[in-house]
Amino acid sequence: MSKPHALIVSGLAKSFTMHLRGDIELPVISGADFVLTCGQCAVLGGPSGAGKSSILKMLYGNYAVNAGSIVVRHRGRETDLAGAEPRKILEIRRETIGYVSQFLRVMPRVSALDVVAEPLVFSGAGREEAARRAAGLLQRLNLPERLWALPPATFSGGEQQRINIARGFITDHSILLLDEPTASLDAANRAVVLQMIAEKKAAGVALLGIFHDADVRDAVADTIIDVTGFAPDRRAA
Amino acid sequence: MNIAAPQASALQDDSIEQPLLSVRSLTRYYGTRIGCADISFDIWPGEVLAIVGESGSGKTTLLNCISTRLPPTSGTVSYSMRDGVLHDLFKLREADRRFLLRTDWGFVHQNPADGLRMAASAGANVGERLMAVGDRHYGHIRETAIDWLDRVEIDAGRIDDQPRAFSGGMRQRLQIARNLVTAPRLVFMDEPTGGLDVSVQARLLDLLRGLVNDLGLAVIIVTHDLAVARLLSHRMIVMKDGRVVEQGLTDRLLDDPQAPYTQLLVSSILQG
């Protein structure tokens, strides 16, 4: 029996209109079709500039969608993210779709531990429980305990990325989007992240990621989605 | 990616199908000149909405109309009162409206001197609004005032000092305490970090962000600073010449602006 789908993308298209550059039309993606399956990790493949990040951003609601649908299973119902109200998108982010971005946007005075615990608090968990799980993740990702109480602004790139990963992995969201989560990690920490991804899969989470490192990609990918297949017809542009 | 903006509190769910505040076709003329025109939006409990635009875009006119400080030329503003019913604010009795402003709402002015009584003590500034909701117990009022000074990081030892002896940043924090002490459901803020030094601004923004998260407040904040909007708001309305050019999710408007004017605003942000 095949596993259920967590998210179905059909006919997805995206282009940018640069109004400050004489209204130039910049098509990025057209006719994208793919599904994310519960308990599997799909990886977006293709060269830089093919639109991998744009797809992730549309799935998280950061980019508007020009055409097509992104149907996600949310609160037991199928909801189209492409046309959803801002309030609905925020609700979906809080409960269903998690995101690990490439860079951490830091808050001046919020401690690393609180940054990690935050999404869990927002999804309704108690503060103590959230702090306990945050500490567990930071421990696993080998972030020295003396840093936990400090705001991550002055941390190194690798330390900030581990905060970001912990923040993305702390919730029990059923879909997780990963934008190069292992890019600035050493081998030991990369192995921890691979293990964490495997655990998410085992828990039935559907993952979609961008990984430039071929070893990482081979280790996590159940399917590769070739983004070059979604290239817009540039002759028409 | 979404670390900057506080998330709407978990309290907000499908069971609350009614907005807290609902604005429809709101228009305000000054003579024949447009202040703001044909503005419609809703705000739900726990949501932070930023109204952005440059000077003269009509954002302060809009804020003053929806907070009933200025009557609109046409259009309606409805508010879900504690009885759960949406009331047209401009049809309320003056006394009811004043009570709303003193208790269920807050208004944080850009200049703290407009929102504080500068010749009263810090404690009295906070306690006054508690008395407006019927608290008469001196010990309790003072205790609550001390607690709120602490929450906005003002030393309890300053409780008997007048705000004119305070720095600009402290005055602004005191104004925030004065507004939040009655546990309002909706707070209006007009450029709350304007006129403050950058380091003082950052501290105030952190503080506001924490309070908004902890209290599940709905906030309508007017700002010309997109960084403030990014940090604090879930949704954003972009205004120009009195009209809405674009509205939507804050990070989408900043990452993928559609309207030419929003693209201009976003492209003008200095990269940090």
Side-chain angles (χ1 to χ4, degrees), chain B residues 151-169:
Chain B
R151 291 180 80 163
V152 298
E153 301 167 10
I154 294 174
D155 191 275
R158 306 294 301 268
I159 189 168
D160 295 317
D161 293 353
Q162 293 174 3
R164 46 181 168 211
F166 287 0
S167 68

Side-chain angles (χ1 to χ4, degrees), chain A residues 14 16-17 19-20 60-62 64 75 87 93-94 101 105 107-109 115 118 122 127 167, chain B residues 1-4 7 10 12 14 44 153 203 206 209 213-214 230 251-252 255-256 258 263 267:
Chain A
K14 172 74 194 162
F16 292 99
T17 308
H19 290 294
L20 306 180
Y60 199 59
N62 285 67
R75 293 190 172 181
R87 207 163 79 94
R93 288 180 183 177
R94 211 161 51 230
S101 61
R105 197 184 290 283
M107 289 292 307
R109 297 195 309 171
V115 167
E118 206 175 51
F122 290 144
R127 266 175 206 287
R167 183 180 158 86
Chain B
M1 177 145 291
N2 62 328
I3 173 147
Q7 309 247 327
Q12 177 197 327
D14 280 350
W44 275 269
E153 301 167 10
R203 180 176 183 190
D206 278 350
R209 184 175 180 272
N213 272 338
D214 291 348
R230 160 99 72 183
D251 54 18
R252 182 184 295 183
D255 290 349
D256 186 17
Q258 304 289 318
Q263 291 189 354
S267 69

Side-chain angles (χ1 to χ4, degrees), chain A residues 124-138:
Chain A
R127 266 175 206 287
E128 273 178 31
E129 158 75 2
R132 200 180 52 74
R133 279 172 67 173
L137 280 166
L138 290 178

